[in-house]
Amino acid sequence: MRGTLTATGIALVVLAGYTLSCIIRPFRDCWLCKGKAHHRSKRNPKLSRPCRWCRSSGKRLRFGRRLWNRARRVHRDTGVTAR
Ligand SMILES: [Zn+2]
């Protein structure tokens, strides 16, 4: 019983920390181009192409932030407003 409570507490703390980090830094470097916005073609390694994954920005929205944006969109579309 005590172990279950501790595990839940740790999970909550980790979740809160992750949420906070998503608010502070909503973007992370793109995994494909490592934030350089260009990546090398597999067939021709000398050729550098604009990264399609991040649309040449070098940044990707983090998973938590994407969930947050989707939740906000749903709220807006259904006309539910926070007071
Ligand atoms: Zn990229």
Side-chain angles (χ1 to χ4, degrees), residues 6-77:
T6 312
T8 310
I10 289 170
L12 277 176
V13 168
V14 169
L15 198 71
Y18 180 71
T19 309
L20 208 67
S21 78
C22 279
I23 292 167
I24 295 165
R25 292 187 59 190
F27 292 96
R28 62 174 163 76
D29 284 352
C30 172
W31 61 270
L32 188 63
C33 60
K34 311 278 189 296
K36 284 177 282 200
H38 285 76
H39 72 92
R40 303 219 173 275
S41 165
K42 271 179 193 151
R43 264 176 273 170
N44 186 356
K46 283 179 189 170
L47 211 68
S48 183
R49 296 177 166 278
C51 181
R52 274 183 299 167
W53 190 253
C54 58
R55 296 196 187 95
S56 309
S57 66
K59 300 284 173 201
R60 291 282 299 168
L61 258 185
R62 294 174 70 183
F63 179 70
R65 187 69 185 198
R66 239 178 301 161
L67 279 182
W68 171 253
N69 284 353
R70 183 174 300 177
R72 278 181 63 113
R73 199 173 308 132
V74 167
H75 269 267
R76 202 185 51 212
D77 290 351

